[in-house]
Short mmCIF file of all heavy atoms in Angstrom, two decimals:
data_model
loop_
_atom_site.label_atom_id
_atom_site.label_comp_id
_atom_site.label_asym_id
_atom_site.label_seq_id
_atom_site.Cartn_x
_atom_site.Cartn_y
_atom_site.Cartn_z
N MET A 1 111.40 92.32 255.64
CA MET A 1 110.00 91.97 255.34
C MET A 1 109.78 92.04 253.84
O MET A 1 109.94 93.06 253.19
CB MET A 1 109.09 92.97 256.05
CG MET A 1 107.60 92.64 255.83
SD MET A 1 106.59 93.73 256.82
CE MET A 1 104.97 93.24 256.26
N SER A 2 109.42 90.92 253.27
CA SER A 2 109.22 90.87 251.82
C SER A 2 107.74 90.78 251.48
O SER A 2 107.00 90.07 252.13
CB SER A 2 109.98 89.68 251.23
OG SER A 2 109.54 88.49 251.84
N LYS A 3 107.38 91.50 250.46
CA LYS A 3 105.98 91.49 250.04
C LYS A 3 105.77 90.43 248.96
O LYS A 3 106.57 90.30 248.05
CB LYS A 3 105.59 92.87 249.50
CG LYS A 3 104.65 93.59 250.43
CD LYS A 3 104.12 94.84 249.77
CE LYS A 3 103.14 95.54 250.71
NZ LYS A 3 102.66 96.80 250.15
N ARG A 4 104.69 89.72 249.08
CA ARG A 4 104.36 88.71 248.09
C ARG A 4 103.27 89.23 247.15
O ARG A 4 102.43 90.02 247.54
CB ARG A 4 103.84 87.44 248.78
CG ARG A 4 104.95 86.47 249.13
CD ARG A 4 104.33 85.18 249.61
NE ARG A 4 105.36 84.18 249.87
CZ ARG A 4 105.84 83.36 248.93
NH1 ARG A 4 105.39 83.43 247.71
NH2 ARG A 4 106.77 82.49 249.22
N THR A 5 103.31 88.74 245.94
CA THR A 5 102.25 89.08 245.00
C THR A 5 101.63 87.80 244.47
O THR A 5 102.31 86.78 244.35
CB THR A 5 102.77 89.91 243.83
OG1 THR A 5 103.89 89.24 243.25
CG2 THR A 5 103.19 91.30 244.28
N CYS A 6 100.37 87.87 244.15
CA CYS A 6 99.65 86.71 243.66
C CYS A 6 100.20 86.28 242.29
O CYS A 6 100.33 87.11 241.40
CB CYS A 6 98.16 87.06 243.54
SG CYS A 6 97.17 85.72 242.90
N PRO A 7 100.54 84.99 242.14
CA PRO A 7 101.09 84.51 240.88
C PRO A 7 100.05 84.52 239.75
O PRO A 7 100.41 84.38 238.58
CB PRO A 7 101.52 83.06 241.20
CG PRO A 7 100.75 82.67 242.41
CD PRO A 7 100.48 83.94 243.17
N ILE A 8 98.80 84.69 240.11
CA ILE A 8 97.74 84.69 239.11
C ILE A 8 97.42 86.10 238.64
O ILE A 8 97.47 86.41 237.46
CB ILE A 8 96.46 84.03 239.66
CG1 ILE A 8 96.76 82.59 240.12
CG2 ILE A 8 95.35 84.06 238.62
CD1 ILE A 8 97.25 81.69 239.00
N CYS A 9 97.10 86.98 239.57
CA CYS A 9 96.67 88.33 239.20
C CYS A 9 97.69 89.39 239.60
O CYS A 9 97.54 90.55 239.27
CB CYS A 9 95.31 88.63 239.81
SG CYS A 9 95.34 88.78 241.60
N GLU A 10 98.75 88.96 240.30
CA GLU A 10 99.85 89.83 240.69
C GLU A 10 99.44 90.97 241.61
O GLU A 10 100.05 92.03 241.64
CB GLU A 10 100.55 90.40 239.45
CG GLU A 10 101.14 89.29 238.61
CD GLU A 10 102.02 89.85 237.49
OE1 GLU A 10 101.93 91.04 237.21
OE2 GLU A 10 102.77 89.06 236.91
N ARG A 11 98.38 90.72 242.36
CA ARG A 11 97.99 91.69 243.38
C ARG A 11 98.68 91.33 244.68
O ARG A 11 99.21 90.23 244.83
CB ARG A 11 96.46 91.65 243.57
CG ARG A 11 95.72 92.29 242.43
CD ARG A 11 94.24 92.18 242.62
NE ARG A 11 93.76 92.95 243.77
CZ ARG A 11 92.49 93.03 244.14
NH1 ARG A 11 91.57 92.40 243.45
NH2 ARG A 11 92.15 93.75 245.17
N ALA A 12 98.66 92.25 245.60
CA ALA A 12 99.31 92.02 246.89
C ALA A 12 98.63 90.87 247.63
O ALA A 12 97.41 90.75 247.61
CB ALA A 12 99.26 93.28 247.74
N VAL A 13 99.45 90.03 248.23
CA VAL A 13 98.92 88.88 248.97
C VAL A 13 99.08 89.10 250.46
O VAL A 13 100.14 89.49 250.93
CB VAL A 13 99.68 87.60 248.57
CG1 VAL A 13 99.22 86.42 249.40
CG2 VAL A 13 99.46 87.32 247.09
N LEU A 14 98.00 88.84 251.19
CA LEU A 14 98.04 89.00 252.64
C LEU A 14 98.91 87.92 253.27
O LEU A 14 99.20 86.90 252.66
CB LEU A 14 96.63 88.91 253.21
CG LEU A 14 95.70 90.09 252.92
CD1 LEU A 14 94.31 89.81 253.46
CD2 LEU A 14 96.25 91.38 253.52
N ALA A 15 99.32 88.18 254.48
CA ALA A 15 100.16 87.23 255.20
C ALA A 15 99.41 85.91 255.41
O ALA A 15 98.19 85.86 255.43
CB ALA A 15 100.57 87.80 256.55
N ARG A 16 100.20 84.88 255.54
CA ARG A 16 99.65 83.53 255.65
C ARG A 16 98.65 83.40 256.80
O ARG A 16 97.65 82.69 256.70
CB ARG A 16 100.82 82.58 255.89
CG ARG A 16 100.56 81.15 255.48
CD ARG A 16 101.89 80.43 255.51
NE ARG A 16 101.73 79.01 255.37
CZ ARG A 16 102.75 78.17 255.23
NH1 ARG A 16 103.98 78.66 255.21
NH2 ARG A 16 102.58 76.91 255.11
N GLU A 17 98.96 84.09 257.89
CA GLU A 17 98.12 83.96 259.08
C GLU A 17 96.69 84.47 258.85
O GLU A 17 95.76 84.01 259.47
CB GLU A 17 98.73 84.73 260.26
CG GLU A 17 100.09 84.22 260.68
CD GLU A 17 101.19 84.85 259.85
OE1 GLU A 17 101.28 86.08 259.81
OE2 GLU A 17 101.96 84.11 259.22
N GLU A 18 96.57 85.43 257.94
CA GLU A 18 95.24 86.00 257.71
C GLU A 18 94.74 85.72 256.29
O GLU A 18 93.84 86.37 255.80
CB GLU A 18 95.29 87.51 257.96
CG GLU A 18 96.48 88.19 257.32
CD GLU A 18 96.59 89.64 257.75
OE1 GLU A 18 95.56 90.31 257.82
OE2 GLU A 18 97.70 90.10 258.01
N ASN A 19 95.37 84.75 255.65
CA ASN A 19 94.99 84.45 254.28
C ASN A 19 95.01 82.94 254.05
O ASN A 19 96.06 82.35 253.85
CB ASN A 19 95.94 85.18 253.33
CG ASN A 19 95.61 84.89 251.89
OD1 ASN A 19 94.55 84.34 251.58
ND2 ASN A 19 96.52 85.23 251.02
N SER A 20 93.84 82.34 254.05
CA SER A 20 93.76 80.88 253.92
C SER A 20 94.12 80.44 252.51
O SER A 20 94.39 79.27 252.28
CB SER A 20 92.34 80.41 254.26
OG SER A 20 91.40 81.00 253.41
N ALA A 21 94.13 81.40 251.58
CA ALA A 21 94.42 81.04 250.19
C ALA A 21 95.89 81.23 249.85
O ALA A 21 96.29 81.06 248.71
CB ALA A 21 93.57 81.89 249.25
N PHE A 22 96.71 81.60 250.84
CA PHE A 22 98.14 81.78 250.64
C PHE A 22 98.72 80.62 249.84
O PHE A 22 98.40 79.47 250.08
CB PHE A 22 98.81 81.87 252.02
CG PHE A 22 100.23 82.34 251.99
CD1 PHE A 22 100.54 83.68 252.01
CD2 PHE A 22 101.26 81.42 251.92
CE1 PHE A 22 101.86 84.11 251.99
CE2 PHE A 22 102.58 81.84 251.87
CZ PHE A 22 102.87 83.18 251.91
N PRO A 23 99.63 80.82 248.88
CA PRO A 23 100.25 82.10 248.52
C PRO A 23 99.49 82.91 247.47
O PRO A 23 100.05 83.77 246.82
CB PRO A 23 101.60 81.64 247.96
CG PRO A 23 101.28 80.33 247.29
CD PRO A 23 100.17 79.73 248.11
N PHE A 24 98.19 82.62 247.34
CA PHE A 24 97.38 83.38 246.39
C PHE A 24 96.64 84.48 247.15
O PHE A 24 96.51 84.42 248.36
CB PHE A 24 96.39 82.46 245.68
CG PHE A 24 97.08 81.32 244.96
CD1 PHE A 24 97.20 80.09 245.56
CD2 PHE A 24 97.62 81.51 243.70
CE1 PHE A 24 97.85 79.04 244.92
CE2 PHE A 24 98.26 80.48 243.04
CZ PHE A 24 98.37 79.24 243.65
N CYS A 25 96.14 85.46 246.41
CA CYS A 25 95.48 86.59 247.06
C CYS A 25 94.09 86.19 247.55
O CYS A 25 93.57 86.74 248.50
CB CYS A 25 95.39 87.78 246.12
SG CYS A 25 94.22 87.55 244.76
N SER A 26 93.51 85.19 246.90
CA SER A 26 92.17 84.77 247.28
C SER A 26 91.93 83.34 246.82
O SER A 26 92.67 82.80 246.00
CB SER A 26 91.13 85.69 246.64
OG SER A 26 91.15 85.55 245.24
N SER A 27 90.87 82.75 247.37
CA SER A 27 90.54 81.37 246.99
C SER A 27 90.19 81.30 245.51
O SER A 27 90.31 80.27 244.87
CB SER A 27 89.37 80.86 247.84
OG SER A 27 88.25 81.70 247.71
N ARG A 28 89.77 82.42 244.97
CA ARG A 28 89.41 82.47 243.56
C ARG A 28 90.63 82.20 242.70
O ARG A 28 90.60 81.39 241.77
CB ARG A 28 88.82 83.84 243.25
CG ARG A 28 88.24 83.94 241.86
CD ARG A 28 87.82 85.39 241.60
NE ARG A 28 87.43 85.58 240.21
CZ ARG A 28 86.19 85.44 239.77
NH1 ARG A 28 85.24 85.13 240.60
NH2 ARG A 28 85.91 85.62 238.50
N CYS A 29 91.72 82.90 243.01
CA CYS A 29 92.95 82.71 242.25
C CYS A 29 93.52 81.31 242.50
O CYS A 29 94.14 80.72 241.63
CB CYS A 29 93.97 83.78 242.63
SG CYS A 29 93.60 85.36 241.85
N GLN A 30 93.28 80.80 243.68
CA GLN A 30 93.73 79.45 244.01
C GLN A 30 93.05 78.45 243.07
O GLN A 30 93.68 77.52 242.57
CB GLN A 30 93.36 79.15 245.46
CG GLN A 30 94.18 78.02 246.07
CD GLN A 30 93.94 77.89 247.56
OE1 GLN A 30 92.87 78.25 248.04
NE2 GLN A 30 94.91 77.39 248.28
N LEU A 31 91.76 78.68 242.82
CA LEU A 31 91.01 77.80 241.93
C LEU A 31 91.49 77.97 240.49
O LEU A 31 91.56 77.02 239.72
CB LEU A 31 89.52 78.11 242.02
CG LEU A 31 88.80 77.51 243.23
CD1 LEU A 31 87.35 77.96 243.26
CD2 LEU A 31 88.87 76.00 243.20
N VAL A 32 91.83 79.20 240.14
CA VAL A 32 92.32 79.47 238.79
C VAL A 32 93.60 78.68 238.54
O VAL A 32 93.78 78.07 237.49
CB VAL A 32 92.59 80.98 238.59
CG1 VAL A 32 93.32 81.23 237.27
CG2 VAL A 32 91.29 81.74 238.61
N ASP A 33 94.48 78.67 239.55
CA ASP A 33 95.74 77.94 239.43
C ASP A 33 95.47 76.45 239.29
O ASP A 33 96.07 75.77 238.48
CB ASP A 33 96.60 78.20 240.66
CG ASP A 33 97.98 77.58 240.52
OD1 ASP A 33 98.76 78.08 239.68
OD2 ASP A 33 98.28 76.62 241.21
N LEU A 34 94.51 75.97 240.07
CA LEU A 34 94.14 74.56 240.00
C LEU A 34 93.59 74.24 238.62
O LEU A 34 93.87 73.19 238.05
CB LEU A 34 93.09 74.25 241.07
CG LEU A 34 92.59 72.80 241.14
CD1 LEU A 34 93.72 71.85 241.50
CD2 LEU A 34 91.45 72.66 242.12
N GLY A 35 92.83 75.18 238.08
CA GLY A 35 92.26 75.01 236.75
C GLY A 35 93.35 74.86 235.69
O GLY A 35 93.23 74.09 234.75
N HIS A 36 94.45 75.59 235.86
CA HIS A 36 95.57 75.48 234.93
C HIS A 36 96.13 74.06 234.94
O HIS A 36 96.48 73.52 233.90
CB HIS A 36 96.67 76.47 235.33
CG HIS A 36 96.32 77.88 234.98
ND1 HIS A 36 97.11 78.96 235.34
CD2 HIS A 36 95.27 78.40 234.30
CE1 HIS A 36 96.55 80.07 234.88
NE2 HIS A 36 95.44 79.76 234.26
N TRP A 37 96.21 73.50 236.12
CA TRP A 37 96.72 72.13 236.24
C TRP A 37 95.80 71.17 235.51
O TRP A 37 96.23 70.35 234.72
CB TRP A 37 96.82 71.74 237.71
CG TRP A 37 98.06 72.25 238.36
CD1 TRP A 37 98.17 73.42 239.06
CD2 TRP A 37 99.35 71.65 238.37
NE1 TRP A 37 99.46 73.55 239.50
CE2 TRP A 37 100.21 72.49 239.10
CE3 TRP A 37 99.85 70.46 237.84
CZ2 TRP A 37 101.55 72.18 239.30
CZ3 TRP A 37 101.20 70.16 238.04
CH2 TRP A 37 102.03 71.02 238.77
N LEU A 38 94.49 71.30 235.80
CA LEU A 38 93.52 70.40 235.19
C LEU A 38 93.47 70.61 233.68
O LEU A 38 93.18 69.69 232.93
CB LEU A 38 92.13 70.66 235.79
CG LEU A 38 92.01 70.36 237.28
CD1 LEU A 38 90.62 70.73 237.78
CD2 LEU A 38 92.26 68.88 237.55
N ASP A 39 93.76 71.81 233.26
CA ASP A 39 93.69 72.14 231.85
C ASP A 39 94.93 71.65 231.10
O ASP A 39 94.99 71.65 229.89
CB ASP A 39 93.57 73.66 231.70
CG ASP A 39 92.95 74.03 230.36
OD1 ASP A 39 92.10 73.27 229.88
OD2 ASP A 39 93.33 75.06 229.80
N GLY A 40 95.93 71.21 231.85
CA GLY A 40 97.13 70.67 231.22
C GLY A 40 98.14 71.74 230.85
O GLY A 40 99.08 71.49 230.11
N GLU A 41 97.92 72.95 231.38
CA GLU A 41 98.87 74.02 231.07
C GLU A 41 100.23 73.73 231.71
O GLU A 41 101.27 73.95 231.12
CB GLU A 41 98.33 75.35 231.59
CG GLU A 41 99.20 76.53 231.16
CD GLU A 41 98.52 77.85 231.50
OE1 GLU A 41 97.36 78.04 231.13
OE2 GLU A 41 99.15 78.69 232.14
N TYR A 42 100.16 73.20 232.93
CA TYR A 42 101.39 72.79 233.60
C TYR A 42 101.54 71.29 233.41
O TYR A 42 100.90 70.50 234.08
CB TYR A 42 101.32 73.10 235.10
CG TYR A 42 101.03 74.53 235.42
CD1 TYR A 42 100.35 74.88 236.57
CD2 TYR A 42 101.46 75.55 234.58
CE1 TYR A 42 100.09 76.20 236.89
CE2 TYR A 42 101.20 76.87 234.88
CZ TYR A 42 100.52 77.18 236.05
OH TYR A 42 100.26 78.47 236.36
N ARG A 43 102.39 70.92 232.52
CA ARG A 43 102.54 69.49 232.28
C ARG A 43 103.80 68.96 232.93
O ARG A 43 104.87 69.58 232.85
CB ARG A 43 102.57 69.21 230.78
CG ARG A 43 101.20 68.75 230.30
CD ARG A 43 101.25 68.32 228.86
NE ARG A 43 101.43 69.48 227.98
CZ ARG A 43 101.67 69.35 226.68
NH1 ARG A 43 101.79 68.17 226.13
NH2 ARG A 43 101.81 70.41 225.92
N VAL A 44 103.67 67.83 233.54
CA VAL A 44 104.82 67.21 234.18
C VAL A 44 105.56 66.34 233.17
O VAL A 44 104.97 65.42 232.61
CB VAL A 44 104.39 66.34 235.38
CG1 VAL A 44 105.60 65.76 236.10
CG2 VAL A 44 103.54 67.15 236.34
N PRO A 45 106.81 66.63 232.90
CA PRO A 45 107.59 65.85 231.93
C PRO A 45 107.69 64.39 232.35
O PRO A 45 108.02 64.08 233.49
CB PRO A 45 108.96 66.53 231.91
CG PRO A 45 109.02 67.36 233.15
CD PRO A 45 107.60 67.68 233.51
N GLY A 46 107.41 63.51 231.43
CA GLY A 46 107.51 62.09 231.74
C GLY A 46 106.16 61.48 232.06
O GLY A 46 105.97 60.28 231.99
N GLU A 47 105.20 62.36 232.40
CA GLU A 47 103.87 61.86 232.71
C GLU A 47 102.97 61.98 231.48
O GLU A 47 103.05 62.95 230.74
CB GLU A 47 103.27 62.68 233.86
CG GLU A 47 103.93 62.40 235.19
CD GLU A 47 103.50 61.05 235.76
OE1 GLU A 47 102.31 60.71 235.70
OE2 GLU A 47 104.37 60.33 236.25
N PRO A 48 102.13 61.00 231.26
CA PRO A 48 101.19 61.05 230.14
C PRO A 48 100.15 62.13 230.36
O PRO A 48 99.62 62.27 231.46
CB PRO A 48 100.54 59.66 230.14
CG PRO A 48 100.72 59.13 231.53
CD PRO A 48 102.00 59.75 232.03
N ALA A 49 99.91 62.91 229.33
CA ALA A 49 98.96 64.01 229.44
C ALA A 49 97.54 63.48 229.29
O ALA A 49 96.91 63.62 228.27
CB ALA A 49 99.26 65.06 228.40
N GLU A 50 97.07 62.88 230.35
CA GLU A 50 95.73 62.33 230.32
C GLU A 50 94.91 62.95 231.43
O GLU A 50 95.09 62.63 232.60
CB GLU A 50 95.79 60.81 230.49
CG GLU A 50 94.54 60.13 229.96
CD GLU A 50 94.68 58.60 229.99
OE1 GLU A 50 95.77 58.09 229.73
OE2 GLU A 50 93.68 57.95 230.27
N VAL A 51 94.06 63.88 231.08
CA VAL A 51 93.29 64.60 232.08
C VAL A 51 91.80 64.34 231.88
O VAL A 51 91.29 64.43 230.77
CB VAL A 51 93.56 66.11 231.98
CG1 VAL A 51 92.79 66.85 233.07
CG2 VAL A 51 95.05 66.39 232.11
N ALA A 52 91.15 63.97 232.96
CA ALA A 52 89.72 63.73 232.88
C ALA A 52 88.98 65.06 232.66
O ALA A 52 89.41 66.11 233.14
CB ALA A 52 89.22 63.06 234.14
N ASP A 53 87.89 64.97 231.95
CA ASP A 53 87.13 66.18 231.66
C ASP A 53 86.16 66.47 232.80
O ASP A 53 85.01 66.09 232.78
CB ASP A 53 86.38 66.00 230.34
CG ASP A 53 85.65 67.27 229.95
OD1 ASP A 53 86.15 68.36 230.27
OD2 ASP A 53 84.57 67.16 229.34
N SER A 54 86.69 67.12 233.83
CA SER A 54 85.84 67.48 234.96
C SER A 54 86.01 68.96 235.27
O SER A 54 87.12 69.44 235.44
CB SER A 54 86.20 66.64 236.19
OG SER A 54 87.53 66.86 236.56
N GLY A 55 84.91 69.65 235.33
CA GLY A 55 84.98 71.10 235.58
C GLY A 55 84.94 71.42 237.05
O GLY A 55 84.53 70.60 237.87
N ILE A 56 85.38 72.59 237.38
CA ILE A 56 85.32 73.05 238.75
C ILE A 56 83.96 73.70 239.00
O ILE A 56 83.55 74.56 238.23
CB ILE A 56 86.44 74.07 239.04
CG1 ILE A 56 87.80 73.44 238.76
CG2 ILE A 56 86.37 74.57 240.48
CD1 ILE A 56 88.93 74.44 238.87
N PRO A 57 83.26 73.25 240.04
CA PRO A 57 81.96 73.85 240.34
C PRO A 57 82.10 75.34 240.66
O PRO A 57 82.92 75.73 241.48
CB PRO A 57 81.47 73.06 241.55
CG PRO A 57 82.68 72.42 242.14
CD PRO A 57 83.65 72.23 241.00
N SER A 58 81.32 76.12 239.99
CA SER A 58 81.40 77.57 240.21
C SER A 58 80.83 77.93 241.57
O SER A 58 79.67 77.71 241.83
CB SER A 58 80.67 78.30 239.10
OG SER A 58 79.35 77.81 239.01
N ASP A 59 81.69 78.48 242.39
CA ASP A 59 81.29 78.85 243.73
C ASP A 59 81.02 80.35 243.77
O ASP A 59 81.65 81.12 243.07
CB ASP A 59 82.42 78.48 244.70
CG ASP A 59 81.89 78.28 246.12
OD1 ASP A 59 80.72 77.91 246.26
OD2 ASP A 59 82.64 78.51 247.05
N SER A 60 80.08 80.74 244.60
CA SER A 60 79.79 82.16 244.70
C SER A 60 80.98 82.89 245.29
O SER A 60 81.55 82.48 246.29
CB SER A 60 78.56 82.38 245.58
OG SER A 60 78.75 81.81 246.85
N SER A 61 81.39 83.97 244.63
CA SER A 61 82.56 84.71 245.07
C SER A 61 82.36 85.28 246.47
O SER A 61 81.27 85.70 246.83
CB SER A 61 82.88 85.83 244.10
OG SER A 61 81.75 86.65 243.94
N GLU A 62 83.43 85.24 247.21
CA GLU A 62 83.38 85.69 248.60
C GLU A 62 84.39 86.79 248.84
O GLU A 62 85.54 86.66 248.47
CB GLU A 62 83.65 84.50 249.50
CG GLU A 62 83.31 84.78 250.94
CD GLU A 62 83.57 83.55 251.82
OE1 GLU A 62 83.44 82.42 251.32
OE2 GLU A 62 83.92 83.72 252.96
N GLY A 63 83.93 87.84 249.49
CA GLY A 63 84.86 88.90 249.83
C GLY A 63 84.89 89.91 248.78
O GLY A 63 85.76 90.49 248.30
ZN1 ZN B 1 95.15 86.81 242.75
#
């Protein structure tokens, strides 16, 4: 049995069955990861770095 940690905040991640945000600890960290993509932090080699300026709607934190 291996324990997973959130790639964003490195906290313990619940099992997939009880965690809809898997492999993140929460939907919040899931959005943070998505934000990195939109922000161009993770760039795909060979692809033009052209990102539209669209923000993520701030959702009320849950849990
Ligand atoms: Zn996290």
Side-chain angles (χ1 to χ4, degrees):
M1 182 174 175
S2 57
K3 251 188 178 176
R4 271 188 176 273
T5 52
C6 178
I8 302 299
C9 68
E10 299 189 345
R11 286 177 66 179
V13 175
L14 289 176
R16 204 168 169 173
E17 298 85 56
E18 46 188 319
N19 179 13
S20 59
F22 192 87
F24 303 96
C25 71
S26 66
S27 57
R28 188 186 172 91
C29 283
Q30 201 171 26
L31 281 176
V32 171
D33 186 69
L34 180 64
H36 285 174
W37 279 94
L38 296 177
D39 203 34
E41 187 171 309
Y42 304 150
R43 261 187 290 171
V44 183
E47 289 285 317
E50 201 173 324
V51 182
D53 184 32
S54 61
I56 302 173
S58 54
D59 204 28
S60 57
S61 55
E62 193 179 329

